[in-house]
Amino acid sequence: MEKFDFKKKFGQNFLKDANLLSQIVEKAGVTAEDVVVEIGAGKGALTEVLSKNAKKVYSFEIDSELFEFLGEKFNNTNVQMIFKDVMKVTDDELNEMVGGKFKLVANLPYYVTSPIITRFLQNENMESLTVMVQEEVADRIVASPKTKDYGVLTVICQIFGEPKKAIRVNRKMFYPVPNVDSAVVRIDKKEALVEDFSKFISFVKQAFSMRRKKLSTNLETSKLKKGEIEKLLLENGFSEMTRAEELSIEDFKKLYNLFSGKM
Ligand code: SAM
């Protein structure tokens, strides 16, 4: 590919260091039995290493300038390129295409990191997710309660497993060089054990809506008054002064089950 016009709007920061690419695939634990979904092939650097290690790779790319190049590069290989915006493909379409369990491995476009993670964690066929994200996002994903990084994304990720920061990646490893460093995070999925995950997410968002405010203020609705929330909190072993950032993942589960029918 002679000349390529990097597009910021698509979060295009590419990798080429062979060592780092192998490390990502190794940390993802990809073996010859695995089917892998990649989001954002770019010029196919990670795709190529995935292709050598996995049984099959399904790789999405949105940028039409890359279609011909990628189509030729991966012609007659175990890589199926899907030239689409991944967010416009439904879970049913994706599951039908992939046809079973898969691992998600990607150097994610930063502008759509949280929606992609949130969405794929809910896909019952996804076994694990190993993704490159901006380091501050990685810090939020692995955060502990009572820290500034602990928030909605933390709870969404940790309800499904124990995320681990697998590799720290200096910004100079990308081209073009972005303004911040990155990190690779791995989440091995377990069953979340909350009914109606989208309602759970709304509950968590509401609990964190005003970070410094008490839970009883944030959760108040026309149906559920502050006094009633405080009473329920006290009856279930929480202080009426509790704030969302003080709650563990287990606490969130417990409170969601307690409040969800009442809000
Ligand atoms: N995997 C390549 C690498 O590591 O060098 C490229 C990674 S780059 C951070 C993200 C890639 O995702 C870009 O190629 C971009 O065009 C693509 N992309 C951005 N938004 C996308 C979307 N909604 N669906 C599919 N691909 C997308």
Side-chain angles (χ1 to χ4, degrees), residues 19 34 48 68 92 134-135 152 164 173 181 192 235 261:
N19 220 355
D34 287 323
E48 202 168 352
E68 197 185 332
D92 285 348
Q134 295 188 329
E135 192 166 27
V152 177
K164 297 206 167 51
M173 301 301 277
D181 294 327
E235 281 170 2

Side-chain angles (χ1 to χ4, degrees), residues 10-15 38-43 45-46 60-63 66 84-87 107-109 111-112:
F10 289 148
Q12 289 177 340
N13 298 101
F14 293 174
L15 293 171
E38 182 193 20
I39 294 158
K43 287 192 184 169
L46 181 58
F60 286 86
E61 180 50 62
I62 197 174
D63 184 357
L66 292 162
K84 284 187 180 164
D85 176 346
V86 71
M87 295 313 270
N107 171 17
L108 287 179
Y111 75 97
V112 74

